[in-house]
Amino acid sequence: MGGTFGDQAEMDIYFGIGEDMKTRMTLYAEDGMVLTDGNVYCRIACLAVDADASVWREIPEGEAPKAEETV
Amino acid sequence: MVYEKMTAIADAIRLKTGGTEALTLEDMAAAIPEVYNAAARECAAKHFVAVVTGSGTSEMAISVPFDPDAVFVICHSAYAASLANGSTGYWMDLRFNRRNAARYSGYFMAVPPNADRTNTRVSASTALEICTYSDGMLRFNAVNATLQKYVWRSDLQYLFTAVQYSDKTDAELLAEEIALLPDAKGGTVEYSLFRINEIFETAEGENDGSTSAAWAALLATKPKWTFTLV
């Protein structure tokens, strides 16, 4: 599933002029899902320019750690 | 030379007491108490400290004259004594930065009776629910992620401190924080989706801060960084 996130997958073109033009991919989790790269769990991931989007995947929200953690 | 020094003293006095009128030496002497009073008012408008006995419930309400940016609570009763004192409630410490946009805004640490301590990290959105401010009252509702309630023991005292640490907007504070991310080395930084939506909310709709031009422009300043919204 890496890099593909259903109908809500989007690529945003961010700002720049001339040679500074950069692209940044933004991934959005569908309802009831969260994104993870194995370390981070989130609803939205604004990837660094040239980042590898294939390491990200969606998992059901219930499988992610809670926003609050008791340690 | 003396004139310049006297003018500097007068300027310092006027900075605290207001006004632009020239001050005689007698005026300066008379203004000294107001300098102290003005400083005290300035301090009280942004800093608050109180020692309060626990409510005996999970809720506490304290009169604070300003909406604080950050709150710290310490149970200053003896730790050992609170643990040895039966099974009616909890000892706890809290720390919330209410201006924070990071994933976690603080934590509260509780010691259930006859058990190991529990240290709960609190997300930025949840912290705003646990620690709210309205009508001149700072209210706490000590509930964790699993809705377990922590009791402010009525046999313990708690030291509450609250502070307004910046006159800048949340967006300005966040921009300063992001500016500190090193350009040469990338990485991942986590923010609260709730707080980003709140900070950058536009006039067009609700909860749209994370898709706003202002947020996008901020991200564009750090192309080597991945920003995750949790």
Side-chain angles (χ1 to χ4, degrees):
Chain A
M1 179 183 282
T4 302
F5 300 97
D7 296 336
Q8 295 189 27
E10 294 183 20
M11 177 181 286
D12 294 338
I13 307 300
Y14 279 82
F15 312 109
I17 298 174
E19 294 180 356
D20 293 331
M21 177 67 80
K22 302 291 185 184
T23 60
R24 181 192 287 274
M25 183 178 289
T26 301
L27 308 175
Y28 298 86
E30 295 187 60
D31 288 344
M33 308 289 280
V34 295
L35 304 170
T36 183
D37 64 352
N39 296 312
V40 177
Y41 298 83
C42 61
R43 306 284 307 172
I44 299 174
C46 309
L47 304 186
V49 172
D50 300 329
D52 180 8
S54 68
V55 301
W56 289 85
R57 60 193 175 90
E58 274 186 321
I59 63 170
E61 205 167 39
E63 295 180 13
K66 291 183 180 298
E68 293 180 53
E69 295 177 2
T70 300
V71 294
Chain B
M1 195 65 165
V2 172
Y3 175 79
E4 290 173 353
K5 290 180 179 177
M6 296 301 288
T7 300
I9 294 171
D11 287 344
I13 291 172
R14 282 188 289 260
L15 189 64
K16 288 296 181 189
T17 61
T20 57
E21 296 178 0
L23 298 175
T24 65
L25 199 54
E26 288 75 17
D27 290 338
M28 292 184 200
I32 295 300
E34 178 53 20
V35 170
Y36 282 103
N37 292 337
R41 283 196 301 272
E42 198 173 296
C43 184
K46 296 184 176 181
H47 305 83
F48 173 85
V49 178
V51 176
V52 181
T53 301
S55 62
T57 72
S58 62
E59 298 178 3
M60 287 282 286
I62 302 164
S63 175
V64 176
F66 56 85
D67 187 354
D69 295 337
V71 176
F72 305 86
V73 183
I74 299 170
C75 175
H76 73 25
S77 300
Y79 170 77
S82 69
L83 283 182
N85 200 18
S87 57
T88 57
Y90 299 83
W91 162 90
M92 64 181 135
D93 286 353
L94 301 95
R95 184 190 74 182
F96 297 137
N97 180 348
R98 302 175 71 242
R99 302 286 300 278
N100 201 349
R103 177 182 186 182
Y104 290 111
S105 181
Y107 72 87
F108 70 90
M109 184 166 63
V111 180
N114 306 317
D116 294 333
R117 74 178 185 182
T118 301
N119 187 352
T120 299
R121 287 191 291 176
V122 179
S123 68
S125 56
T126 307
L128 297 175
E129 297 169 1
I130 291 175
C131 177
T132 60
Y133 184 82
S134 61
D135 302 325
M137 299 296 287
L138 188 61
R139 293 181 169 84
F140 295 87
N141 184 19
V143 178
N144 73 2
T146 58
L147 302 182
Q148 180 180 5
K149 292 184 176 181
Y150 294 92
V151 174
W152 300 88
R153 290 174 56 142
S154 59
D155 57 346
L156 297 179
Q157 289 192 311
Y158 299 86
L159 171 64
F160 288 81
T161 62
V163 61
Q164 273 188 355
Y165 62 76
S166 178
D167 292 327
K168 295 176 182 174
T169 66
D170 288 346
E172 289 170 338
L173 288 174
L174 184 57
E176 288 181 358
E177 181 180 313
I178 288 177
L180 294 174
L181 298 175
D183 291 318
K185 180 185 174 186
T188 299
V189 59
E190 298 179 2
Y191 286 110
S192 159
L193 175 58
F194 177 91
R195 287 287 288 142
I196 296 300
N197 279 334
E198 188 177 65
I199 292 171
F200 293 100
E201 185 172 314
T202 73
E204 279 73 42
E206 293 183 357
N207 298 322
D208 63 352
S210 61
T211 57
S212 69
W215 173 240
L218 197 53
L219 298 189
T221 63
K222 298 294 174 182
K224 291 188 177 180
W225 285 80
T226 290
F227 294 82
T228 59
L229 302 183
V230 178

